[in-house]
């Protein structure tokens, strides 16, 4: 495992000149609505070579671009690759018009509708679980029952938490899955979120860049580092003094990277 480095160390090295600079979001660029130190310099230095590659499962690229612009960070939606959005797009490509028991925040619900994916909580072909802040007891019972009955489950990401504005861990999709897999311990979920290599590979594909011409910066070796390694991209682990320690992916049973 590499030693963690400050963002200033990254900016003073050769990495900002690479053809593509892939960056994690939470705990790397922002923490809640707080822009972390030296991030504006990163945006200024890297320009249109900068990509966000995040396990975010609340936003779409469009809604996140708007949120970042309010924080003074301008990045077009085309250069933002998010786990929740990519999960729905992968399903739409593999199985157009699928009936989904989708548990997600409004931006992803709206995206699913635009993609022609149908919501069906009674007889779904697949459960898709993202960071649904309205998830309640009945929803957990329903997902556990569907998983127990053998309906495939796809998670937007396996992360148990991400840092809030003051560094306090906020619940993520993996924490919801941990509750469900405690009820149905034999249930297995798939996820294309990091540590799977799908998201960094998608950024490279859009950039038209080979893995050797890119670099990935992130704060979590268990997800960012493993995803970068699996995609063949050099990884720099960022040190964020004062930030909450990043936690490893959920211990619930999660396999594979392809949701269909
Ligand atoms: Mg992070």
């Amino acid at each position: 495992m590499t030693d963690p480095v400050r963002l200033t160390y990254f900016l003073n090295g050769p990495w900002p000149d690479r053809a593509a600079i892939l960056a994690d979001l939470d705990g790397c660029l922002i923490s809640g609505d707080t822009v972390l130190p030296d991030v504006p310099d990163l945006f200024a230095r890297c320009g249109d070579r900068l990509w966000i590659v995040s396990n975010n499962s609340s936003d779409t690229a469009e809604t996140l671009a708007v949120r970042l612009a309010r924080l003074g960070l301008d990045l077009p939606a085309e250069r933002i690759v998010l786990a929740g959005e990519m999960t729905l797009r992968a399903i739409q490509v593999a199985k157009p018009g699928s009936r989904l028991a989708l548990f997600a925040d409004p931006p992803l619900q709206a995206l699913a509708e635009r993609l022609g994916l149908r919501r069906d909580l009674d007889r779904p072909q697949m459960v898709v679980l993202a960071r649904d802040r309205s998830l309640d007891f009945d929803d957990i019972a329903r997902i556990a029952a569907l998983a127990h009955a053998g309906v495939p489950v796809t998670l937007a990401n396996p992360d148990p938490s991400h840092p809030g504005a003051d560094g306090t861990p906020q619940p993520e999709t993996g924490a919801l899955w941990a509750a469900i897999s405690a009820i149905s311990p034999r249930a297995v979920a798939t996820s294309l979120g990091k540590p799977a290599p799908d998201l960094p590979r998608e950024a490279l594909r859009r950039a038209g860049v080979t893995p050797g011409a890119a670099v990935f910066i992130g704060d979590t070796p268990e997800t960012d580092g493993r995803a970068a390694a699996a995609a063949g991209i050099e990884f720099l682990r960022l040190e964020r003094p004062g930030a909450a320690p990043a936690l490893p992916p959920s211990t619930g049973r999660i396999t594979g990277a392809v949701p269909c």
Side-chain angles (χ1 to χ4, degrees):
M1 184 182 299
T2 56
D3 291 331
V5 301
R6 303 285 182 100
L7 191 53
T8 50
Y9 177 86
F10 174 86
L11 288 169
N12 288 323
W15 303 282
D17 293 327
R18 296 274 173 91
I21 296 92
L22 280 49
D24 174 46
L25 177 67
D26 292 300
C28 179
L29 304 181
I30 62 173
S31 188
D33 283 338
T34 302
V35 177
L36 293 171
D38 304 312
V39 169
D41 290 344
L42 176 75
F43 274 65
R45 176 78 189 274
C46 298
D48 61 7
R49 287 171 290 121
L50 181 64
W51 296 73
I52 288 177
V53 177
S54 169
N55 270 357
N56 177 307
S57 71
S58 298
D59 291 288
T60 63
E62 284 80 7
T63 62
L64 181 62
V66 170
R67 190 153 68 86
L68 290 175
R70 284 199 208 105
L71 302 177
L73 301 176
D74 288 318
L75 197 73
E78 297 74 30
R79 294 213 310 276
I80 298 175
V81 182
L82 304 179
E85 175 168 355
M86 290 307 301
T87 297
L88 293 178
R89 292 190 181 281
I91 294 169
Q92 191 270 338
V93 168
K95 294 185 177 177
S98 287
R99 301 188 316 278
L100 305 182
L102 172 61
F103 297 87
D105 280 352
L108 289 183
Q109 295 283 0
L111 175 63
E113 194 171 332
R114 289 202 301 277
L115 294 173
L117 299 168
R118 294 167 290 170
R119 191 154 195 246
D120 186 340
L121 298 180
D122 297 318
R123 294 174 59 83
Q125 294 166 268
M126 188 185 304
V127 173
V128 178
L129 178 60
R131 185 173 187 255
D132 182 350
R133 280 173 287 191
S134 66
L135 198 79
D136 64 16
F137 188 92
D138 289 344
D139 293 329
I140 290 172
R142 183 185 294 269
I143 297 168
L146 289 167
H148 179 74
V151 177
V153 178
T154 293
L155 307 180
N157 70 60
D159 299 350
S161 68
H162 69 252
D166 64 356
T168 303
Q170 302 297 306
E172 250 299 346
T173 312
L176 307 179
W177 175 244
I180 292 156
S181 60
I183 301 165
S184 297
R186 284 182 298 178
V188 178
T190 59
S191 179
L192 58 60
K194 298 174 288 184
D198 301 52
L199 302 184
R201 281 179 180 160
E202 172 64 11
L204 293 182
R205 187 191 68 77
R206 292 188 199 175
V209 166
T210 60
V215 62
F216 194 122
I217 55 175
D219 64 318
T220 310
E222 293 87 351
T223 51
D224 302 319
R226 285 173 56 193
I233 304 170
E234 182 184 3
F235 175 65
L236 259 75
R237 178 184 169 199
L238 280 196
E239 180 184 62
R240 284 304 194 184
L247 299 174
S250 170
T251 53
R253 297 177 69 198
I254 302 168
T255 67
V258 181
C260 298

